[in-house]
Amino acid sequence: MFDSWPSAPPMTTGATQDAQTWRPAFRRGAGSAVCKRAMDVTLAGLAFLFLLPAYLLIALAIVAETRGPILFRQRRTGLDGKVFTILKFRSMTVTEDGDRIVHASRGDKRVTRVGVFIRATSLDELPQLLNVILGDMSLVGPRPHALAHDAHYGALLSHYGARFAVRPGLTGLAQVQGLRGEIHQLSCMARRIEADVAYARDWSFRDDLLIIARTAPLLLKRVNAY
């Protein structure tokens, strides 16, 4: 989809100050990639086992409310542009994975009652721990988008493809900067991509730990999650 990933793409006009001024707290060492993968497998594996009762309860709630699959599967773009299938708990009455996918919005009628809760608390993302264990994703990295959105925004934002230099993540720099929620104009996505590109260029293992620490309180605040 994208032929090359520029190492240090320029920031677009009007980018957020957060994305432009973020600097890594630590330099990336020679063993950062190994430490990152080890952390991914260890923490994701432990979390998956610990959360098995929650998986069961959410699955039962989904089945009790609406017909359809428990898990939502959709193709996303990962490391170096490789396509993988992301897993989520189904939170909508639709399971879109085509050339045109509508972003979720506030008060979206497609979201089920169970879906409202699990989306607000990010519990719908729990099955992605399996994506992390399999190596499709990391705990920290740019959030992966649907293929239709990659094609759309990749044509509008010149440095969009730079985010594929790293594995996509469960959380990332954009998320801890509050760049999530409804996409109602191009600048909303542009700000997220600025943060994604900054992370892909400058990440380090120890900075990943800081991002994970900053993510935990955000899950309790339910900011821009619907």
Side-chain angles (χ1 to χ4, degrees):
M1 184 180 297
F2 299 96
D3 296 327
S4 62
W5 326 127
S7 58
M11 296 299 177
T12 57
T13 303
T16 63
Q17 292 301 309
D18 280 342
Q20 288 194 59
T21 60
W22 179 77
R23 294 291 183 274
F26 302 96
R27 297 187 64 180
R28 184 161 63 242
S32 286
V34 174
C35 291
K36 181 180 178 72
R37 181 61 185 149
M39 178 179 69
D40 285 344
V41 174
T42 301
L43 294 186
L46 291 174
F48 180 80
L49 293 175
F50 178 76
L51 293 168
L52 276 177
Y55 277 71
L56 179 59
L57 291 174
I58 294 171
L60 290 174
I62 292 172
V63 170
E65 182 180 6
T66 57
R67 292 183 178 180
I70 293 172
L71 292 179
F72 168 68
R73 295 174 171 85
Q74 189 178 73
R75 292 169 298 161
R76 302 287 175 98
T77 306
L79 177 64
D80 294 331
K82 180 181 178 181
V83 175
F84 71 98
T85 300
I86 199 171
L87 303 174
K88 291 187 176 187
F89 281 120
R90 182 174 59 84
S91 60
M92 289 186 171
T93 56
V94 297
T95 54
E96 299 172 326
D97 187 19
D99 295 333
R100 183 177 182 275
I101 298 175
V102 180
H103 283 290
S105 59
R106 189 181 301 275
D108 199 314
K109 300 299 183 183
R110 299 172 298 167
V111 180
T112 64
R113 286 176 296 177
V114 172
V116 169
F117 174 74
I118 63 176
R119 290 172 74 92
T121 54
S122 295
L123 291 174
D124 62 321
E125 311 284 359
L126 288 182
Q128 288 166 47
L129 290 171
L130 290 173
N131 287 120
V132 174
I133 294 170
L134 292 172
D136 298 324
M137 297 177 63
S138 175
L139 293 176
V140 182
R143 287 295 297 158
H145 303 145
L147 298 188
H149 296 156
D150 284 336
H152 176 70
Y153 292 111
L156 297 174
L157 301 170
S158 61
H159 56 297
Y160 187 94
R163 66 201 304 275
F164 301 131
V166 294
R167 285 188 178 91
L170 292 180
T171 186
L173 179 61
Q175 283 63 49
V176 299
Q177 290 180 344
L179 302 174
R180 58 181 302 191
E182 186 175 0
I183 302 294
H184 51 79
Q185 55 187 12
L186 182 60
S187 62
C188 296
M189 180 60 76
R191 288 193 290 270
R192 294 186 191 185
I193 302 308
E194 306 268 338
D196 290 343
V197 172
Y199 172 81
R201 182 183 60 228
D202 297 325
W203 76 272
S204 75
F205 170 68
R206 288 185 289 180
D207 277 308
D208 278 8
L209 296 178
L210 294 179
I211 290 174
I212 290 173
R214 290 181 61 186
T215 297
L218 293 178
L219 295 176
L220 301 177
K221 293 180 179 180
R222 304 184 184 184
V223 179
N224 291 333
Y226 42 82

